[in-house]
Amino acid sequence: MITELIEKSEVADVYHKVQEGRRLSREDGMRLYRTHDILTLGHMANIARERKNGGVAYYIVNFHINYSNICKNKCRFCAFSRKGPEEDGAYEMTMDEIMERAKRVRTLGATEIHIVGGAHPSWPFSRYLEMIGKLHDAFPDVHLQAFTAVEIAHIAEMAGLSVTETLDQLKKAGLGSLPGGGAEVFSQRVRAEVCPEKLSAEKWLEVMREAHRFGLRSNATMLYGHIETEEERIDHMLRLRELQDETDGFMSFIPLAFHPANTQMSDKSPTTGFLDLKTLAIGRLMLDNFEHIKAFWIMLGIKLAQVSLWFGVDDIDGTVVEERITHAAGAETPQGLTVEELKRLIVEAGRVPVERDTLYRVIRRGIPRADHDV
Ligand code: V47
Ligand code: SF4
């Protein structure tokens, strides 16, 4: 019965390609965006998802530290940033405040601290090194996923160092991996319009290439649902796929749904459930060399993140605890979820909840492992 319906679908030929494990083309991606047959699309994405990750859905016990919102860029889609310390709502955490927040490691049992801020116009390189070094010394077993490619390029520029040297020093201080932010949409047309001061697509990809070459793995994002076209979304995915063919350094792809409130683009409508599910599913299908597709529940909403577990997604991120970037732009999701809540969402969707660390190694709480107890 299902097969009959799929055979009648306008994307039946793409379905056959997916079944045969063949790589999808730009044109296939475009047709997937154009179809309204979201059930066939979801079914295809689910085939690809289960082939890679079976029935497992990953979550992580983590928390975010957004160390400062002062940023030299003024991306039109960003409600988080402030130009300077004098601007209303600007903040920058002292080292003591950062260390105080990091104590959550103990109460939560977190395995990851996710650290992101703006491109701060005056912080010296030593401040970032100190931040990573102190956190690593205090919590040596906790993975520090810190600084988007935008921050890395900016820190390098401030330090007068190459990206390679900057990454080298940060890695030696304890940096574990890079988050996937700052990619936005690679199209030059879109960047000129929404984030003209931000580093170019080429530079973002170059920082990631260097990080991967250096043994630092990373994620990759795409900010969608603003002024970009379907073609520009597919092009973004293809450029990520191309770099991944070269480095194999990306762990997950995370489509980020644009939140317009309090931004310079507040005239735009928030994304729809249809676009969100399509983008996750198409991401799963186009990025055949990415192991994981992540639904960041903070941006997607809890309910849709749960449903997305049947639309290509195998990871719903983590406990998070406190998030400022999306909440500044009107996100209505809570600041954090408990492990029990995350597990319930996954189990109710018929998936098997598995706690992972940042590098997707399985965490078994309370069960001694050969190397160490978690
Ligand atoms: O780079 C900014 C985006 C990113 C808005 O790697 C917005 O695991 C929506 O990258 N609406 C930062 N998005 C967050 C990020 C991230 C989040 C969770 C997990 C990971 C990971 C990475 O947030 C920015 C930008 O692309 N952003 N403003 C907004 N109004
Ligand atoms: Fe700055 Fe990042 Fe906001 Fe752009 S998205 S203004 S780089 S904090």
Side-chain angles (χ1 to χ4, degrees):
M1 181 62 185
I2 288 181
T3 323
E4 265 171 44
L5 287 175
I6 289 171
E7 289 309 335
K8 283 189 196 143
S9 163
E10 60 195 0
V11 287
D13 56 324
V14 184
Y15 172 75
H16 293 305
K17 266 180 138 174
V18 172
Q19 266 194 323
E20 290 159 20
R22 285 159 59 204
R23 180 163 268 196
L24 301 191
S25 66
R26 178 185 301 268
E27 183 51 29
D28 293 331
M30 289 303 299
R31 289 184 44 226
L32 292 178
Y33 258 123
R34 280 187 219 120
T35 188
H36 293 105
D37 186 357
I38 200 162
L39 292 182
T40 301
L41 176 58
H43 185 56
M44 285 191 252
N46 193 49
I47 291 173
R49 177 236 200 264
E50 291 191 352
R51 202 177 274 150
K52 283 190 186 287
N53 294 293
V56 162
Y58 292 101
Y59 67 93
I60 186 165
V61 181
N62 67 349
F63 61 95
H64 287 213
I65 298 181
N66 299 129
Y67 57 86
S68 172
N69 63 351
I70 299 173
C71 182
K72 75 174 177 54
N73 299 331
K74 197 80 194 124
C75 303
R76 293 186 61 227
F77 53 75
C78 180
F80 166 73
S81 77
R82 298 290 184 274
K83 266 279 179 226
E86 64 294 338
E87 208 181 311
D88 204 27
Y91 73 89
E92 43 194 331
M93 293 181 189
T94 63
M95 210 53 68
D96 286 347
E97 282 168 336
I98 291 171
M99 295 309 290
E100 190 53 38
R101 275 190 162 68
K103 286 185 186 156
R104 285 177 179 154
V105 162
R106 298 204 187 94
T107 46
L108 276 172
T111 63
E112 172 190 274
I113 309 180
H114 181 106
I115 305 166
V116 173
H120 197 289
S122 61
W123 277 22
F125 185 33
S126 56
R127 182 92 56 113
Y128 300 93
L129 279 179
E130 187 188 355
M131 188 194 312
I132 296 297
K134 280 196 165 159
L135 287 169
H136 184 63
D137 287 349
F139 310 103
D141 295 333
V142 175
H143 186 105
L144 303 177
Q145 180 167 78
F147 312 136
T148 64
V150 177
E151 289 160 281
I152 296 289
H154 171 71
I155 295 168
E157 198 182 312
M158 293 292 287
L161 295 172
S162 66
V163 165
T164 314
E165 179 60 24
T166 307
L167 288 170
D168 183 36
Q169 292 199 35
L170 285 168
K171 192 177 175 201
K172 282 182 180 140
L175 179 68
S177 64
L178 267 50
E184 321 315 351
V185 178
F186 291 142
S187 150
Q188 182 49 38
R189 179 195 76 85
V190 172
R191 293 181 103 77
E193 204 44 42
V194 305
C195 52
E197 293 139 299
K198 192 165 243 166
L199 85 182
S200 66
E202 290 69 31
K203 185 74 185 172
W204 189 95
L205 291 161
E206 189 50 42
V207 171
M208 287 306 187
R209 181 180 284 111
E210 275 302 282
H212 296 170
R213 206 174 58 81
F214 227 71
L216 286 166
R217 306 202 75 197
S218 75
N219 298 323
T221 57
M222 175 176 79
L223 181 70
Y224 68 94
H226 42 98
I227 63 157
E228 83 291 355
T229 62
E230 289 168 351
E231 199 161 6
E232 285 162 338
R233 286 181 209 135
I234 295 295
D235 182 60
H236 184 93
M237 293 179 197
L238 291 178
R239 291 180 81 174
L240 289 175
R241 188 168 84 179
E242 205 176 301
L243 181 58
Q244 180 74 333
D245 274 342
E246 191 185 317
T247 66
D248 200 26
F250 289 117
M251 297 180 285
S252 70
F253 175 59
I254 314 159
L256 301 175
F258 174 52
H259 283 55
N262 308 317
T263 73
Q264 289 175 59
M265 298 168 75
S266 56
D267 55 317
K268 300 273 170 228
S269 303
T271 61
T272 62
F274 222 75
L275 178 63
D276 292 335
L277 285 180
K278 265 185 160 181
T279 302
L280 290 160
I282 295 171
R284 177 61 288 164
L285 289 164
M286 296 303 294
L287 295 174
D288 56 359
N289 52 5
F290 276 60
E291 280 307 297
H292 304 285
I293 303 295
K294 190 196 280 192
F296 186 44
W297 63 263
I298 292 261
M299 292 206 192
L300 202 61
I302 297 169
K303 293 183 181 186
L304 210 56
Q306 184 189 36
V307 173
S308 75
L309 293 173
W310 287 89
F311 282 79
V313 167
D314 63 279
D315 182 357
I316 55 168
D317 200 74
T319 41
V320 182
V321 184
E322 182 186 27
E323 194 275 346
R324 296 192 187 225
I325 301 173
T326 329
H327 285 91
E332 287 170 6
T333 45
Q335 291 278 347
L337 283 177
T338 64
V339 168
E340 285 320 307
E341 285 166 330
L342 287 168
K343 278 166 118 172
R344 179 174 157 241
L345 292 172
I346 294 171
V347 169
E348 203 182 76
R351 298 304 199 182
V352 181
V354 171
E355 183 182 345
R356 65 164 176 94
D357 69 6
T358 312
L359 304 174
Y360 287 86
R361 291 173 303 203
V362 174
I363 301 283
R364 287 189 183 82
R365 301 236 170 213
I367 302 169
R369 283 203 321 216
D371 46 354
H372 66 289
D373 255 351
V374 180

